[in-house]
């Protein structure tokens, strides 16, 4: 099935996002990267630094998606509990990983800094994990089953994602076309709904924009092949010309 | 119980966010506003324009929080299905609301534009809803039970939030203090964990920052009263002086 649909979800872990102190950035980056790769991001959840909340979100979303990503909560402090919660969710033993210990020990030795007990926390992983290289600050992420556990700091998250992307199955890549529409959604809504129904293989969305006091609507058509895309596009363009 | 904990969650509805075309902005704004009001935002979920996904998220999160907010999916096009899905989640009849019809009819008459069938979709609500005024583009949001259904366009979401904020119970407002720390999390992690344990009524978080090649950690202490805050702060400051 080369054209099977591949889906993903992300669980972002962090009190600092829920309190509004930090603005979340990784989910949006992931959405753009997966979209380009033909992988369908189905859900984003932001949960607190709370064991039960992480376990619940991880178990729900890994079961219904090809891939699950997590962001955040893998640093060296007491509130970094993601790795342990993921191990609990997967029912796997949890402890220091010798490969991660070696990577971190070498990193701190090269920096002339002590490999403290807190830093050693970052080597703890579920049994059976594959490491994800962290070229920024050494502490690795990991993959276990279909769960990718990655850092919350955006440049590290992005570097880890670059590293795992080549390992992912990519889905059918949808073609897309954007049509600029100067009529409001209230004007074109019914006609657009009829076109959407007439082209079940195309995804037709409309997105209102307000910019500099100007109002317009972006109509986005996505389809698995050029013929389907063209047919839907022609109907949208004819509708825009015909009706107004 | 004047100091009871008041919690909230938000469900953001929109394919355009999951595909990465649009960057979500309302959850972060809500987090900041609720935090200032002493309301604890516990979870953020972004789901697709999909009936079953919206119903599931609404029912799960409204049951476990004082308030639930939704953002998006209340425009006039076929992919705007939030109001109907919320009605289904709450098990309430769904149809045109006479007050909303009147507001919208007057709005389009004043603008000299037709009150189309697509625009009339925006007046449909669950039975028993209270309207939320929309000073930007008229189409109202609504409150039903503990669910606040609001627009996805950020200036409208923000205006609606301003309108509902005075109607919310606010929780205990936590005092907070931020301490700048030039040591990394790996250095202070264990000591900070011990302080966190010693002050169960205080919330102590640490947040790494990389800025212009410089690395530092923000330690944030939150507590319900000044005495608790001070005690935890003194321990953190003493730890920072003593250890290095």
């Amino acid at each position: 099935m080369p054209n099977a649909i591949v889906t993903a979800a992300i669980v972002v872990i962090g009190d600092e996002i829920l309190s509004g102190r930090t603005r979340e950035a990784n989910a949006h980056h992931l959405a753009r990267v997966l979209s380009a790769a033909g992988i369908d991001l189905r859900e984003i959840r932001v949960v607190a630094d709370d064991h039960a909340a992480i376990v619940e979100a991880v178990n729900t979303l890994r079961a219904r998606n090809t891939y699950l990503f997590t962001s955040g909560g893998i640093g060296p402090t007491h509130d970094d509990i993601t790795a342990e919660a993921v191990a609990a969710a997967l029912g796997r033993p949890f402890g220091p990983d010798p490969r991660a210990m070696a990577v971190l020990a070498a990193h701190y030795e090269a920096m002339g800094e002590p490999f403290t007990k807190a830093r050693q926390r970052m080597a703890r992983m579920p049994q059976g994990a594959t490491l994800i290289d962290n070229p920024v600050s050494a502490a690795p992420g990991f993959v276990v089953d279909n769960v990718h556990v990655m850092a919350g700091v955006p440049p590290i998250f992005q570097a880890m994602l670059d590293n795992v992307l080549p390992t992912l199955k990519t889905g059918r890549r949808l073609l897309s076309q954007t049509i600029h529409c100067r009529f409001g959604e209230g004007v074109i809504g019914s006609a657009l709904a009829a076109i959407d129904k007439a082209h079940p293989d195309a995804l037709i969305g409309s997105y209102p924009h307000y910019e500099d006091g100007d109002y317009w609507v972006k109509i986005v058509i996505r389809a698995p092949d050029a013929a389907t895309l063209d047919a839907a596009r022609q109907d949208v363009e004819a509708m825009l010309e015909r009706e107004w």
Side-chain angles (χ1 to χ4, degrees), chain A:
Chain A
M1 301 225 303
N3 275 354
I5 289 179
V6 181
T7 70
I10 181 171
V11 179
V12 176
I13 294 110
D15 289 351
E16 70 278 22
I17 307 210
L18 294 170
S19 72
R21 277 196 302 278
T22 299
R23 184 170 174 181
E24 208 285 316
N26 294 333
H28 179 62
H29 178 78
L30 180 70
R32 292 171 58 100
V33 170
L34 293 185
S35 205
I39 297 174
D40 221 3
L41 183 63
R42 287 275 168 89
E43 186 164 344
I44 299 164
R45 288 195 191 179
V46 184
V47 302
D49 298 326
D50 176 87
H51 184 86
I54 301 169
V55 169
E56 183 201 275
V58 165
N59 273 336
T60 302
L61 295 177
R62 77 186 174 97
R64 55 163 89 141
N65 290 284
T66 318
Y67 299 115
L68 176 65
F69 296 85
T70 75
S71 157
I74 61 169
T77 56
H78 64 282
D79 52 356
D80 292 306
I81 60 173
T82 298
E84 189 163 3
V86 168
L90 300 174
R92 285 179 183 253
F94 178 73
D97 180 280
R99 299 158 301 170
M101 287 292 279
V103 167
L104 287 165
H107 172 74
Y108 290 111
E109 191 176 345
M111 292 181 66
E113 289 197 25
F115 187 25
T116 59
K117 217 168 162 183
R119 286 171 174 155
Q120 290 173 33
R121 281 176 59 91
M122 297 189 286
R124 299 177 314 151
M125 292 181 189
Q127 211 168 74
T130 301
L131 268 52
I132 302 175
D133 183 47
N134 169 356
V136 180
S137 59
F142 60 85
V143 188
V144 61
D145 296 340
N146 65 338
V147 183
H148 294 71
V149 174
M150 315 213 294
V153 176
I156 306 177
F157 180 89
Q158 292 167 23
M160 287 183 173
L161 183 57
D162 289 343
N163 285 338
V164 301
L165 198 58
T167 70
L168 304 179
K169 287 185 288 191
T170 55
R172 63 174 185 184
R173 211 165 297 231
L174 294 177
L175 303 173
S176 89
Q177 179 137 20
T178 299
I179 298 172
H180 189 284
C181 165
R182 61 190 187 80
F183 307 111
E185 285 191 310
V187 174
I188 59 160
S190 299
L192 201 64
I195 295 172
D196 186 60
K197 245 186 208 155
H199 298 271
D201 290 339
L203 299 167
I204 304 180
S206 66
Y207 307 100
H209 287 258
Y210 293 95
E211 254 171 44
D212 303 327
D214 199 33
Y215 177 88
W216 57 285
V217 169
K218 191 160 74 173
I219 298 173
V220 178
I221 308 171
R222 293 195 296 166
D225 58 75
T228 307
L229 185 71
D230 277 356
R233 179 186 52 76
Q234 279 169 25
D235 276 7
V236 169
E237 288 177 351
M239 179 269 288
L240 291 177
E241 280 197 30
R242 186 179 64 243
E243 304 277 329
W244 300 279

